[in-house]
Amino acid sequence: MSNSIQIIPVHTAPAYAVAIGGGLLPACGQRLREILGPCHAAVITDSTVAPLYLDTVARSLEDAGFAVSTYVFPAGEAHKNFETLSGILEFLAEERLTRSDCVVALGGGVTGDMAGFAAAVYLRGVRCVQLPTTLLSAVDSSVGGKTAIDLKAGKNLAGAFLQPAAVLCDTDCLATLPAHVFADGAAEAVKTGVLCDESLFALFEDGSLTAAPGEVIARCVAYKAGVVERDEREQGERRLLNLGHTVGHAIEKCSGYAIPHGHAVAAGLAIIARSAEALGWAEEPIAARIADCLAKNGLPTGTEYTAADLAHAASADKKRSGGDITLVIPKKIGVCALKKVPVGQLLPIISAGLEG
Ligand code: GLY
């Protein structure tokens, strides 16, 4: 299915564009040829996405004149590690990819992170294109240039910034996502509403996310693009995008990455909202409204882990600096603030946000 394509520019160095709309995967070759010129494209994807879209993408690239190599790794956050990274890097070397060639990340957040990190370090950096196929990667992770793998000590602890050369977000992929995978992306969309725009948040309260995902993706990406342009390397404002992520990453880690990222972020968002309200940091009642919205989108609002488990896991978070950690505190829907707290304060803060 093809419909109108929205283009969101991202003015980083280098600048690139995010294209959002139907029919982009079958037509990716021609579009990428205009952006990249002729080159060798190494398509990296996982075992879930390969049977769905790899042939379509490879054929489109070949038809447009690209030399194409493909690499498939086992799906799942548990594989976002050094072993998979090493497999991808050895593959790129065996395929003799050069600095004028390109890595194509086809899939969800794990694939974008893995393939992006491989592109960032292979030959000290080759171009990378992101083709997100999940709502989570569409609204958040494919844009902004963060790439990473997990270490035993925690999530995304080794990585690099590499802005993509292009992002093509084919909204036709969203129609076939299992409900829990769609919900995973809804968490990042709800997060964006809480961060910047009550009218965007209200769309998720009335179920409009499933009705018009392309519009929602475009609004989330436009907001994120502005933040990334102002603070590409997360020195300040970009830290706001980590709303719900300190506790969310702790939940993922405590679960051995069995709980998916979006579900963990949803619980982390609900918990920090309750903490903000209980500790008097919120300017109006927000916790019940945020929890109701998350639940309406099929997401959890709490966790089985104790505050001690979560505080311990969060103390290894990469948002820690010396003995402090910067939390993102919701003040009201559409307004959040950064708050630096001593790591020792994590336990009472998280305790305040756990459900009765
Ligand atoms: N996912 C948060 C960021 O890109 O900064």
Side-chain angles (χ1 to χ4, degrees):
M1 191 203 324
S2 187
N3 48 30
S4 68
I5 306 294
Q6 298 193 63
I7 304 287
I8 316 268
V10 186
H11 299 289
T12 45
Y16 57 101
V18 182
I20 302 161
L24 283 168
L25 286 190
C28 69
Q30 208 47 50
R31 205 172 265 271
L32 292 179
R33 174 76 190 229
E34 285 161 22
I35 297 165
L36 302 171
C39 69
H40 186 164
V43 185
I44 313 295
T45 192
D46 70 21
S47 53
T48 300
V49 173
L52 298 171
Y53 303 119
L54 184 54
D55 281 353
T56 303
V57 167
R59 196 172 318 122
S60 177
L61 291 167
E62 279 162 3
D63 288 349
F66 288 92
V68 178
S69 304
T70 63
Y71 185 87
V72 181
F73 65 93
E77 183 80 29
H79 296 283
K80 207 176 96 176
N81 55 25
F82 260 122
E83 196 184 343
T84 310
L85 176 69
S86 159
I88 296 171
L89 292 172
E90 294 292 351
F91 163 77
L92 297 177
E94 278 161 21
E95 294 297 313
R96 305 248 189 279
L97 231 74
T98 69
R99 280 194 173 147
S100 56
D101 295 324
C102 184
V103 168
V104 177
L106 170 66
V110 169
T111 300
D113 271 5
M114 291 282 333
F117 191 25
V121 295
Y122 178 69
L123 302 181
R124 300 201 181 94
V126 297
R127 293 175 297 177
C128 182
V129 165
Q130 296 280 346
L131 305 183
T133 59
T134 64
L135 183 61
L136 187 141
S137 52
V139 296
D140 185 61
S141 60
S142 64
V143 178
K146 275 190 184 175
T147 73
I149 58 170
D150 302 332
L151 301 183
K152 289 192 183 72
K155 171 120 175 150
N156 292 340
L157 291 186
F161 287 96
L162 177 73
Q163 296 300 335
V167 181
L168 306 185
C169 173
D170 187 338
T171 50
D172 293 344
C173 298
L174 306 178
T176 55
L177 286 179
H180 71 282
V181 179
F182 191 88
D184 221 35
E188 293 282 4
V190 171
K191 175 203 84 173
T192 305
V194 176
L195 275 175
C196 73
D197 186 348
E198 187 168 13
S199 71
L200 180 62
F201 181 85
L203 291 180
F204 310 134
E205 290 180 298
D206 75 10
S208 297
L209 178 52
T210 40
E215 281 307 311
V216 167
I217 292 166
R219 286 176 71 173
C220 290
V221 167
Y223 167 71
K224 182 165 183 179
V227 173
V228 169
E229 285 167 8
R230 292 187 291 275
D231 180 20
E232 196 173 329
R233 295 281 174 137
E234 200 174 291
Q235 300 299 301
E237 182 185 0
R238 185 167 180 174
R239 294 181 191 179
L240 288 167
L241 301 181
N242 296 322
L243 174 62
H245 282 59
T246 300
V247 176
H249 284 173
I251 292 170
E252 284 186 88
K253 186 179 168 199
C254 287
S255 78
Y257 299 104
I259 297 177
H261 178 66
H263 285 63
V265 165
L269 173 55
I271 289 166
I272 199 67
R274 280 193 292 270
S275 299
E277 208 173 294
L279 298 170
W281 296 334
E283 291 170 9
E284 59 186 36
I286 45 167
R289 193 173 166 199
I290 290 172
D292 287 350
C293 180
L294 292 167
K296 186 155 198 180
N297 285 278
L299 289 160
T301 60
T303 176
E304 68 193 62
Y305 300 109
T306 65
D309 292 335
L310 297 172
H312 179 70
S315 64
D317 197 281
K318 66 183 179 319
K319 294 176 282 300
R320 180 175 172 164
S321 170
D324 294 326
I325 190 161
T326 301
L327 299 177
V328 187
I329 306 298
K331 307 289 250 183
K332 49 189 181 179
I333 305 297
V335 179
C336 295
L338 299 174
K339 188 173 184 66
K340 193 189 263 198
V341 299
V343 171
Q345 287 297 304
L346 278 173
L347 181 59
I349 291 170
I350 294 172
S351 291
L354 293 185
E355 289 164 311

